[in-house]
Amino acid sequence: MRGWAPYMIPDLPTWHTNRVLLIGDAAHCIPPYSGQGAAQAFEDAGYLARLLTDDKSVAYGYSIVFAHFEQVRKKRFEHVRQVTAMSGRSRGTSNKFIWYLKKYFMWLFLQRNEGGYLRDDRICGYDLNQEPLINDENVVKITA
């Protein structure tokens, strides 16, 4: 659909307060260029579930858990947004020849390029179970 360009929602300064945490598009809306909006929301929910079911994390309190969540997820989201923006800049033209060229070069970028989207382990090889839970070292960094 070419009616309007997606609106870029400004970043929120923080995604949480003491006992309220925003996740998914409520916290970090992403343009629909690469289909990552729902993926980021599911990752948020999965990581938050890990944190809230870990007895050691919950013992620190919601404020610390939410601050840790935001710190970890913002790094991931920034990378996804950067890759998504790059994908979005490659779309859209009224010239069919240029459209086919872009389609071919996008395929090359996704498949062949060492830095391509499908070869980016931070996108396709991401495992939220590898993200850190809260420990005494993390709490010092969060509260400092």
Side-chain angles (χ1 to χ4, degrees):
M1 184 165 189
R2 295 182 186 213
W4 296 276
Y7 175 70
M8 296 297 291
I9 295 176
D11 290 337
L12 295 173
T14 184
W15 300 349
H16 72 283
T17 61
N18 290 336
R19 293 185 54 97
V20 176
L21 173 71
L22 298 175
I23 66 170
D25 280 352
H28 49 73
C29 190
I30 193 165
Y33 304 130
S34 63
Q36 283 292 320
Q40 293 306 299
F42 282 123
E43 287 178 11
D44 284 353
Y47 188 52
L48 182 59
R50 279 189 65 216
L51 290 172
L52 294 177
T53 56
D54 180 51
D55 292 335
K56 292 178 186 174
S57 295
V58 174
Y60 288 108
Y62 289 114
S63 182
I64 297 293
V65 170
F66 293 165
H68 176 76
F69 171 90
E70 182 176 336
Q71 184 180 37
V72 170
R73 291 297 298 156
K74 269 189 177 180
K75 289 178 189 173
R76 164 84 174 143
F77 174 72
E78 286 303 322
H79 178 71
V80 171
R81 179 168 50 187
Q82 182 181 32
V83 171
T84 298
M86 186 171 49
S87 171
R89 285 190 297 271
S90 69
R91 300 175 192 266
T93 183
S94 58
N95 184 317
K96 287 203 180 256
F97 176 71
I98 292 175
W99 183 85
Y100 280 107
L101 275 177
K102 282 185 174 184
K103 183 176 178 179
Y104 174 74
F105 284 117
M106 180 57 74
W107 177 83
L108 278 177
F109 172 74
L110 293 175
Q111 298 291 332
R112 303 289 182 203
N113 185 359
E114 288 298 318
Y117 189 80
L118 295 179
R119 294 183 186 251
D120 186 344
D121 285 340
R122 293 177 293 173
I123 298 291
C124 295
Y126 178 73
D127 182 2
L128 70 88
N129 290 317
Q130 300 301 314
E131 293 292 4
L133 295 174
I134 298 176
N135 58 37
D136 291 335
E137 184 180 312
N138 294 343
V139 171
V140 171
K141 290 179 184 176
I142 292 168
T143 57

